[in-house]
Amino acid sequence: MSKNVVVLDYGSGNLRSAQRALERTGADVTVTSDFQQALDADGLLVPGVGAFEACMRGLKAVRGDQIIGRRLAGGRPVLGICVGMQILFERGVEHGVETAGCDEWPGTVEPLDAPIVPHMGWNTVDAPEGSRLFAGLDPDTRFYFVHSYGVRRWELETHSQRINAPLVTWATHGQPFVAAVENGPLWATQFHPEKSGDAGAALLTNWVNTL
């Protein structure tokens, strides 16, 4: 039986390309801002394009922050993409303006420290051993990035041996930044899997297969 996935429509993101990419995995995909549908789906994909502050404003307008929080409290999978990943962190700083994020992870989204910004194009990533998101993908696989901001430090420390530490994937543009995270039911990528061809399709299939 195919899995039901909601792409959260909050006014930001490549909704149709994300929908088509997920449908190619065999998932039954709905694009909606409906609160209950988003809560009940097997998986929730949170897209995001543009400014952190505008995305947070749109997200709160459809109670998306509450949807994410309630799903995670119940162990229900969420996948954030691009700014949809960034808003999961504690705060974003753009042009000197600080905006509160969803605060699912500590940390700050800030300008990339690189000679050329935005970071636009294909990049390899350094995925940790045991990653389910990147399972079956060659270390030389490239994914498509387009962003000027990122998380340059991972700040969530896990001290208990009873809790699995998050798996953090890194990429480098000028300096290292967080390219993806797998943390219980909450996964996210800074790059765009829906724009990453066969590699992105394989990654989305890996996620859908965990639902």
Side-chain angles (χ1 to χ4, degrees):
M1 189 169 64
S2 63
K3 298 296 185 178
N4 171 254
V5 177
V6 161
V7 177
L8 186 63
D9 181 2
Y10 64 100
S12 177
N14 299 308
L15 301 175
R16 297 308 166 189
S17 58
Q19 178 184 16
R20 288 192 296 269
L22 283 165
E23 286 173 344
R24 286 194 289 271
T25 72
D28 179 14
V29 185
T30 304
V31 178
T32 184
S33 60
D34 183 83
F35 190 88
Q36 199 61 47
Q37 274 189 278
L39 277 183
D40 292 343
D42 295 318
L44 177 72
L45 186 143
V46 182
V49 171
F52 188 104
E53 189 275 334
C55 284
M56 278 305 302
R57 192 172 350 111
L59 189 74
K60 288 184 175 180
V62 300
R63 296 192 291 163
D65 52 337
Q66 296 178 40
I67 293 169
I68 293 169
R70 288 194 189 184
R71 285 187 62 90
L72 296 178
R76 301 182 66 80
V78 175
L79 175 66
I81 288 177
C82 197
V83 185
M85 166 178 152
Q86 295 179 359
I87 58 176
L88 298 170
F89 285 86
E90 184 178 356
R91 69 178 71 83
V93 178
E94 294 186 359
H95 308 296
V97 177
E98 183 173 314
T99 303
C102 292
D103 201 13
E104 297 296 340
W105 294 316
T108 301
V109 178
E110 55 192 337
L112 295 176
D113 184 7
I116 298 175
V117 175
H119 173 213
M120 184 181 298
W122 297 82
N123 231 75
T124 57
V125 301
D126 183 14
E129 185 177 350
S131 168
R132 290 188 289 164
L133 191 57
F134 294 93
L137 290 165
D138 189 276
D140 293 330
T141 301
R142 294 179 178 271
F143 298 91
Y144 187 77
F145 290 83
V146 53
H147 61 123
S148 299
Y149 297 82
V151 176
R152 290 154 44 188
R153 289 171 294 276
W154 178 254
E155 299 181 18
L156 179 61
E157 299 294 335
T158 303
H159 300 291
S160 173
Q161 294 182 349
R162 294 176 297 171
I163 300 174
N164 291 329
L167 296 179
V168 181
T169 294
W170 295 86
T172 301
H173 180 69
Q175 68 172 196
F177 64 89
V178 176
V181 183
E182 297 162 67
N183 181 202
L186 182 58
W187 293 11
T189 69
Q190 176 61 69
F191 55 83
H192 286 275
E194 79 282 9
K195 296 181 179 180
S196 296
D198 291 344
L203 183 141
L204 289 173
T205 299
N206 284 343
W207 179 65
V208 170
N209 285 344
T210 68
L211 302 180

